[in-house]
Amino acid sequence: MARNCSSAPPPPRCRPPSPRACRCTLRSARSPPPRSLPVEMVSMAAAAAAVGVLLPFPFYYTLWTHPQRWVDLCGRGADPCRRMAQVSHAIKALQLLALASVASFSGPPPLYCPVLLAVGQYLNFKEMGTDGSC
């Protein structure tokens, strides 16, 4: 039995005669430690945020392993690359919303963040001739 005392521990060689002497509560040594949050507290919002963050991975895996299915799904006359870019942008927007729903912002971002974003877009345009989509 493990002991959780609410008062100060007794001196090393002096043990209280019973658990009630130090107002202790006894719990079995086999019992699991108390959890900080019950399982019921996990909300649907947290699960939806996790799905939103992980959503691009199965999409890109499916595109990589079954490209012909994607072309067939897009249909005749549709550009599969353009359609993939549209779906990817929609998934990225959902991913951003999922991250924003669980994030806590402590203040405005540092001033170098917009500069880094602008440099990234410049490099995309310079190397690919486009803003990053097909």
Side-chain angles (χ1 to χ4, degrees):
M1 303 286 264
R3 192 175 278 210
N4 290 333
C5 293
S6 59
S7 64
R13 293 190 180 160
C14 177
R15 300 185 102 186
S18 71
R20 294 181 186 190
C22 72
R23 294 174 295 179
C24 294
T25 58
L26 296 176
R27 63 180 174 88
S28 170
R30 292 183 183 182
S31 66
R35 292 183 291 198
S36 59
L37 289 175
V39 176
E40 296 84 23
M41 294 294 292
V42 176
S43 67
M44 289 301 290
V51 168
V53 169
L54 298 174
L55 190 60
F57 297 105
F59 175 68
Y60 290 126
Y61 173 79
T62 305
L63 283 179
W64 184 260
T65 56
H66 306 290
Q68 188 58 46
R69 285 188 185 174
W70 177 254
V71 172
D72 296 341
L73 183 66
C74 290
R76 285 201 163 154
D79 182 16
C81 184
R82 173 87 44 204
R83 186 67 45 94
M84 184 199 75
Q86 292 169 343
V87 172
S88 296
H89 283 96
I91 288 175
K92 189 55 74 173
L94 289 173
Q95 190 178 32
L96 184 66
L97 286 173
L99 281 174
S101 72
V102 295
S104 61
F105 300 102
S106 60
L111 294 176
Y112 60 84
C113 287
V115 174
L116 290 175
L117 288 172
V119 167
Q121 287 302 312
Y122 170 74
L123 291 174
N124 276 344
F125 188 74
K126 181 180 175 188
E127 290 300 316
M128 296 191 300
T130 181
D131 60 354
S133 61
C134 293

